[in-house]
Amino acid sequence: MASKKFLRTIFLTSILLVFSLVNGDDDERKTDLPPGFMIGAATSSYQIEGGWNANDKGENSWDFYTHNRTERISDRGTGDIACDSYHKYKEDAQLIQDIGLDFYRFSLSWARILPNGYSNYVSDAGVKYYNDVLDELEKRNITPMVTIYHWDHPQKFQFMGGWTNDIMVDLYTDYAKVVFDKFAHRVKHWITINEPNAICRYSYVFGLHAPGYQLGNGAGYLCNTNVLKAHARVYHLYNKDYKPTHNGEVGITLELRNFFPKNKGDDFSAEKGFQVQFGIYAHPIFSKNGNWPQLIIDTVGNISKLEGLPRSRLPVLSEEWIAEIKGSADFLGLNHYTSMLVEPETLDGDQTPSDDGLSASYDPNWEDTAFDWLKIVPEGFANALKRLKNEYDNPKVYVTENGAADDGKTVEDNVRLVYLSKYMQAMLDSIYKDGCNVHGYAIWSLLDNFEWSEGYNIKFGLYQVNFTSPERTRTAKQSAKWLKEVIKARKLLPIDPYLGIVPAGAVPNLEWHGHTPKHTTIWYRGH
């Protein structure tokens, strides 16, 4: 039996250890950015560039949509000029340097590089523009992370059915080959496609984004299939023809909300939310077996039978395609914004269940931002990262988008300060406590910009943009000033000195300007 003196020593040592963890060493470790960890900001071509018909650029799907379906944009805005980054890219690069960001995630415009969509004509002006952007980043020692496709494809291909037509697999691969030929020697971090969920559901199921079609889940699943095939083709193209020389990495960016069960013990609803929004894209690439999640296969198959259809609306992936898609990513790009409560949908009488099968809501205790769907729930971010670790054998992750909305009326963006500090802390906790394999973090967005169906009503930028000025003047918000000091210190810092007229921690309930149809709010994210 151990002596009383020995036991007393062990007890006192334990008390001292706990005291040090709570009051110093552990806090210091948790707030430090890990060695080599990258902080960046993100944008996309249609949302910031403008120059919609500059030189020989072709018309893309969002050009056509905003010009011909103006009523579908809440303020009837377009991306014709946007932030005018087509002309102000040097200033943008300087803003990135001013904050001290490690990397800049931006996307390429397919129709700017290939004006007629096909690879038989490459625009010298389009290639020069992106080389000029890369030159400015290189001068300032800023690492580029390039998204090949962020929702804007040539309009002529949309007339052919867009992503519901399997010809897009070949057309996108041809486009990506031109991109690699022109820029692979300069770019080491590639994202093939941004948010298939948004492309397929918002564009072809709900009709909220260009081209604005409401074709049902069958069209959405065709889109899913073609997007995954296109991604895999381009991943293997790079690995075969470019990686041996340039040694870069290729991934895909997927959006994931965190789903909490509304009713205690209802883990199935949370699981279904995950698989419907995320697993249907991630499982074919990142799981050990590939293919669609079995839950999705069974659900869609059973409901298709109830509808009297001769086959499932979910296309069958051949063994060849399962093998080609599986493992086709060097990293997972994660876009995460918020969380939701989910429960089984309520059906009336003989009503056929939906493929999603869920109703969603928000905890009234969650803090608001300027977007009604975007609540401040940092514990949901930690849950999402841990889920990715456990579900997919801890893949390499870059958080490619995370951010909060304001109404653009002031640069005292207290909501964003609260949001960023809480979410970045949750991410660091996930890295240090849970061992999540996160290598970088990009804030959406560098600039206030065109926010798709919300136009210019909602602002996500670290920099305010004056859209009524021909100069599109940029002004740093408080969050940019705070982030600059965080990067300089390589650790999270208190936000109190940067909060404006709203008391520390207070988040005003800002007015919602959008027009999201009620029945789609379960999954819709307008950004």
Side-chain angles (χ1 to χ4, degrees):
M1 180 180 293
S3 69
K4 291 182 179 180
K5 183 177 180 181
F6 176 75
L7 291 174
R8 190 184 308 115
T9 301
I10 292 295
F11 176 75
L12 291 173
T13 301
S14 300
I15 292 295
L16 289 172
L17 177 60
V18 171
F19 182 83
S20 68
L21 289 174
V22 172
N23 292 280
D25 296 342
D26 193 52
D27 285 344
E28 187 73 16
R29 178 178 66 83
K30 289 180 184 176
T31 58
D32 284 348
L33 300 181
F37 191 85
M38 299 197 301
I39 300 290
T43 61
S44 85
S45 56
Y46 187 78
Q47 292 180 273
I48 69 164
E49 283 181 5
W52 81 274
N53 60 354
N55 298 304
D56 55 354
K57 177 186 169 293
E59 182 181 44
N60 67 42
S61 53
W62 273 92
D63 294 328
F64 183 87
Y65 186 66
T66 57
H67 294 163
N68 293 277
R69 299 297 303 273
T70 57
E71 77 282 359
R72 303 302 295 273
I73 310 300
S74 62
D75 65 353
R76 297 182 177 266
T78 74
D80 289 2
I81 302 175
C83 306
D84 199 24
S85 290
Y86 186 72
H87 298 104
K88 297 175 73 70
Y89 63 91
K90 291 183 180 180
E91 183 176 342
D92 292 347
Q94 185 60 53
L95 299 180
I96 297 167
Q97 183 180 24
D98 288 346
I99 297 179
L101 296 172
D102 301 301
F103 74 99
Y104 178 44
R105 180 193 171 209
F106 65 98
S107 77
L108 308 176
S109 168
W110 186 336
R112 195 178 299 283
I113 293 173
L114 302 180
N116 66 10
Y118 297 100
S119 61
N120 61 337
Y121 173 69
V122 180
S123 168
D124 291 338
V127 171
K128 181 181 184 303
Y129 170 67
Y130 292 115
N131 270 320
D132 289 343
V133 172
L134 291 169
D135 285 344
E136 293 301 316
L137 298 178
E138 187 176 316
K139 287 177 187 176
R140 294 166 171 80
N141 198 30
I142 300 162
T143 299
M145 180 178 286
V146 175
T147 305
I148 300 172
Y149 177 83
H150 196 129
W151 304 359
D152 54 324
H153 51 267
Q155 176 58 25
K156 67 166 55 178
F157 297 156
Q158 189 52 58
F159 287 136
M160 296 160 57
W163 285 105
T164 62
N165 187 339
D166 61 6
I167 192 62
M168 284 290 280
V169 177
D170 291 333
L171 296 173
Y172 172 77
T173 304
D174 294 343
Y175 160 55
K177 185 179 187 309
V178 172
V179 167
F180 291 148
D181 285 343
K182 299 298 183 182
F183 307 115
H185 64 292
R186 312 194 66 179
V187 176
K188 302 300 182 186
H189 308 282
W190 293 99
I191 295 167
T192 54
I193 293 170
N194 181 76
E195 290 187 6
N197 178 56
I199 298 166
C200 298
R201 293 175 74 91
Y202 302 170
S203 298
Y204 300 101
V205 179
F206 297 148
L208 293 162
H209 284 182
Y213 295 162
Q214 294 178 324
L215 302 177
N217 281 326
Y221 298 139
L222 288 175
C223 173
N224 297 356
T225 304
N226 293 328
V227 166
L228 285 172
K229 288 179 178 180
H231 157 77
R233 279 274 175 88
V234 169
Y235 173 83
H236 292 296
L237 170 68
Y238 184 89
N239 265 11
K240 177 178 178 291
D241 294 342
Y242 302 90
K243 192 178 184 72
T245 302
H246 304 300
N247 197 33
E249 58 180 356
V250 177
I252 188 170
T253 281
L254 307 177
E255 181 210 352
L256 174 61
R257 294 189 186 188
N258 182 70
F259 298 95
F260 291 111
K262 184 172 183 178
N263 304 311
K264 187 176 181 180
D266 182 19
D267 294 334
F268 180 77
S269 289
E271 173 67 15
K272 191 168 189 183
F274 176 87
Q275 298 297 351
V276 165
Q277 192 201 38
F278 191 80
I280 194 170
Y281 309 101
H283 196 277
I285 299 172
F286 294 98
S287 71
K288 292 180 180 178
N289 296 325
N291 204 357
W292 310 117
Q294 193 61 46
L295 176 61
I296 302 298
I297 294 174
D298 294 342
T299 298
V300 179
N302 290 336
I303 295 175
S304 297
K305 286 182 181 178
L306 289 175
E307 294 171 337
L309 298 174
R311 66 191 64 84
S312 175
R313 283 177 279 102
L314 182 70
V316 174
L317 291 175
S318 68
E319 291 299 322
E320 291 77 15
W321 271 114
I322 290 173
E324 184 161 355
I325 295 169
K326 186 175 66 175
S328 60
D330 300 317
F331 64 86
L332 168 59
L334 175 67
N335 289 357
H336 175 86
Y337 288 87
T338 195
S339 296
M340 306 188 83
L341 302 176
V342 287
E343 61 183 330
E345 65 183 347
T346 301
L347 300 176
D348 298 326
D350 296 330
Q351 183 181 359
T352 302
S354 69
D355 290 359
D356 298 343
L358 298 171
S359 295
S361 58
Y362 300 96
D363 188 323
N365 295 315
W366 291 343
E367 294 175 296
D368 292 325
T369 71
F371 236 156
D372 71 338
W373 59 263
L374 207 172
K375 309 299 183 182
I376 302 178
V377 196
E379 62 271 24
F381 190 23
N383 284 357
L385 289 170
K386 190 173 182 179
R387 177 67 193 269
L388 296 184
K389 174 193 173 185
N390 295 335
E391 186 82 5
Y392 303 118
D393 196 24
N394 207 13
K396 181 178 184 179
V397 171
Y398 292 108
V399 178
T400 43
E401 291 181 26
N402 179 245
D406 66 63
D407 63 1
K409 295 177 181 178
T410 175
V411 295
E412 307 286 350
D413 56 342
N414 302 304
V415 174
R416 184 171 293 103
L417 278 166
V418 171
Y419 180 100
L420 292 179
S421 64
K422 289 184 176 183
Y423 273 69
M424 290 177 74
Q425 183 62 67
M427 175 185 65
L428 291 178
D429 289 345
S430 297
I431 293 170
Y432 288 126
K433 294 179 180 179
D434 297 326
C436 296
N437 190 19
V438 185
H439 287 244
Y441 172 83
I443 294 166
W444 186 270
S445 174
L446 178 68
L447 306 168
D448 290 345
N449 54 46
F450 177 81
E451 283 295 339
W452 308 113
S453 58
E454 282 70 42
Y456 297 96
N457 285 327
I458 298 295
K459 310 297 195 300
F460 277 86
L462 293 167
Y463 286 91
Q464 183 186 69
V465 177
N466 183 353
F467 291 105
T468 64
S469 166
E471 299 301 318
R472 294 301 196 267
T473 307
R474 283 92 156 116
T475 305
K477 300 179 186 179
Q478 290 292 78
S479 57
K481 298 174 183 178
W482 171 77
L483 186 63
K484 179 176 182 176
E485 297 306 313
V486 167
I487 293 171
K488 188 184 299 182
R490 296 292 297 172
K491 65 182 296 182
L492 290 186
L493 298 172
I495 62 173
D496 298 60
Y498 300 90
L499 289 170
I501 58 174
V502 178
V507 180
N509 188 9
L510 301 172
E511 181 183 0
W512 160 240
H513 299 276
H515 60 286
T516 305
K518 185 175 181 180
H519 70 282
T520 65
T521 54
I522 293 176
W523 306 112
Y524 180 59
R525 178 178 62 75
H527 138 71

